[in-house]
Amino acid sequence: MSALWYDKKLFCLITLKEINITLKYGSIGGRYFTNMWYGILLSLIKKYKKSLEFGLMDLKACEDIKDKAALSISLTGFSNMIILWSKDFEVVLDYLERTYNICMESGETLLGIYTASNIVLVSYIKGEKLEYVHEKTRKYISVTNRMKNMHIESQILGIKHIVEDLRGETLHVLDYTVQEKDSDKEILDGRHTYRMVLNYMHGNYDKAAQYMYLGDKESRILRGTLTPVFYYFYAALTLTSILSESDLQNKQYCLKKLIKYKKIIERWAHSCPTNFLSYYLIVQAEVYRINCENEKADIF
């Protein structure tokens, strides 16, 4: 699990080695997560349908042995990193809620609060009412406070701040400056992505762009999770906004980034249009707009 967050190449190497050992010697008592890890590996390389297949195999194996601790680990991988690329968000939320409840019942509290952060994020991305999302953030922040996990708490707080600013209650965007402490820049847990989003929403496109360097690093480290969805979508919109400025420096660099991000979003839209097609259409419309292809932009 640690390799998954800190070194994706090491995670892939360990997973493939585990598969070879399992094929050679067999599994141990049915309690293993080889299929789940392989499913996550397939998700990381964008083989989403096969990823779902292996994830479901592992879930069934864990349900058959009737071990809640094993099931909570399997469900955490499945609901947070596999199913969201293949099924609509309504189904994803059902799995996330189930995962959270089983994790808390079995004592896997850290996995539970990690799942809680994605319940909040999926609820927001899905387009739930702001009041509903805000209530969810308040509920789960109280749980993370008891656990004192600053990284997961910062993810939930990021959504909370966005929702509160959208509701007109606060101006959390004023809480952040781009001139941050060096120690803060080393923490890549999604906070820079949320700060970029807040600045974009307030029309501070230049400041939003300044967060993109660390946001891009976060999206690569957190690949396979939902944070990159937030990053690539709002980074693409930030780029289309600053590319509208005629005196922009590094215009070719920004265009190259925009094309790259648009292709990533298009791949998600192709895999699961119910969840991601609207994101792609918005970005494509913005690309047409900055290219002065207004008729095409209107269609999108």
Side-chain angles (χ1 to χ4, degrees), residues 18 114 143 169 173 245 286 296:
E18 185 177 351
Y114 168 66
V143 179
E169 297 176 352
V173 69
E245 301 171 9
E286 282 293 285
K296 290 183 179 179

Side-chain angles (χ1 to χ4, degrees), residues 101-159:
N101 291 331
I102 290 177
C103 285
M104 301 308 281
E105 289 171 12
S106 65
E108 297 286 352
T109 314
L110 185 60
L111 297 181
I113 61 172
Y114 168 66
T115 300
S117 69
N118 279 329
I119 291 174
V120 171
L121 186 51
V122 171
S123 297
Y124 177 83
I125 294 174
K126 179 175 174 286
E128 296 282 7
K129 291 183 178 180
L130 294 178
E131 291 77 9
Y132 175 83
V133 180
H134 190 253
E135 190 56 40
K136 287 282 186 184
T137 62
R138 290 179 60 186
K139 171 185 173 182
Y140 293 125
I141 281 174
S142 65
V143 179
T144 59
N145 284 340
R146 293 198 297 271
M147 285 293 296
K148 296 181 180 179
N149 188 298
M150 59 176 285
H151 298 302
I152 297 175
E153 184 181 2
S154 73
Q155 294 178 43
I156 301 178
L157 277 174
I159 293 295

Side-chain angles (χ1 to χ4, degrees), residues 48-181:
Y48 300 122
K49 289 184 178 179
K50 277 290 183 183
S51 169
L52 183 65
E53 180 183 329
F54 278 89
L56 288 169
M57 286 169 59
D58 195 80
L59 273 185
K60 185 178 184 309
C62 289
E63 286 171 342
D64 288 345
I65 63 176
K66 296 180 170 38
D67 183 331
K68 277 195 172 181
L71 182 59
S72 65
I73 295 171
S74 185
L75 273 170
T76 299
F78 183 76
S79 62
N80 288 283
M81 299 194 71
I82 291 180
I83 193 173
L84 54 91
W85 309 109
S86 303
K87 299 292 182 181
D88 68 74
F89 282 140
E90 199 65 50
V91 176
V92 174
L93 277 172
D94 286 343
Y95 270 99
L96 286 169
E97 294 280 3
R98 181 187 174 205
T99 301
Y100 175 79
N101 291 331
I102 290 177
C103 285
M104 301 308 281
E105 289 171 12
S106 65
E108 297 286 352
T109 314
L110 185 60
L111 297 181
I113 61 172
Y114 168 66
T115 300
S117 69
N118 279 329
I119 291 174
V120 171
L121 186 51
V122 171
S123 297
Y124 177 83
I125 294 174
K126 179 175 174 286
E128 296 282 7
K129 291 183 178 180
L130 294 178
E131 291 77 9
Y132 175 83
V133 180
H134 190 253
E135 190 56 40
K136 287 282 186 184
T137 62
R138 290 179 60 186
K139 171 185 173 182
Y140 293 125
I141 281 174
S142 65
V143 179
T144 59
N145 284 340
R146 293 198 297 271
M147 285 293 296
K148 296 181 180 179
N149 188 298
M150 59 176 285
H151 298 302
I152 297 175
E153 184 181 2
S154 73
Q155 294 178 43
I156 301 178
L157 277 174
I159 293 295
K160 183 174 181 287
H161 291 169
I162 289 169
V163 169
E164 288 174 346
D165 277 21
L166 286 173
R167 293 172 72 185
E169 297 176 352
T170 55
L171 283 173
H172 285 294
V173 69
L174 300 178
D175 298 340
Y176 306 126
T177 62
V178 178
Q179 290 76 34
E180 300 170 60
K181 299 177 182 177

Side-chain angles (χ1 to χ4, degrees), residues 175-229:
D175 298 340
Y176 306 126
T177 62
V178 178
Q179 290 76 34
E180 300 170 60
K181 299 177 182 177
D182 288 339
S183 59
D184 193 38
K185 292 180 181 180
E186 293 172 3
I187 303 172
L188 301 173
D189 57 5
R191 64 184 60 192
H192 306 289
T193 293
Y194 291 122
R195 292 170 186 181
M196 178 195 72
V197 173
L198 270 173
N199 276 285
Y200 172 81
M201 288 179 169
H202 283 276
N204 303 329
Y205 304 128
D206 288 337
K207 284 187 178 179
Q210 291 178 57
Y211 281 111
M212 284 177 54
Y213 172 72
L214 291 172
D216 191 78
K217 289 182 71 175
E218 284 178 333
S219 71
R220 283 181 273 120
I221 288 174
L222 301 174
R223 186 158 50 102
T225 70
L226 275 171
T227 300
V229 173

Side-chain angles (χ1 to χ4, degrees), residues 19-31:
I19 289 170
N20 284 334
I21 292 171
T22 302
L23 290 172
K24 187 174 182 179
Y25 299 106
S27 61
I28 303 172
R31 181 171 175 157

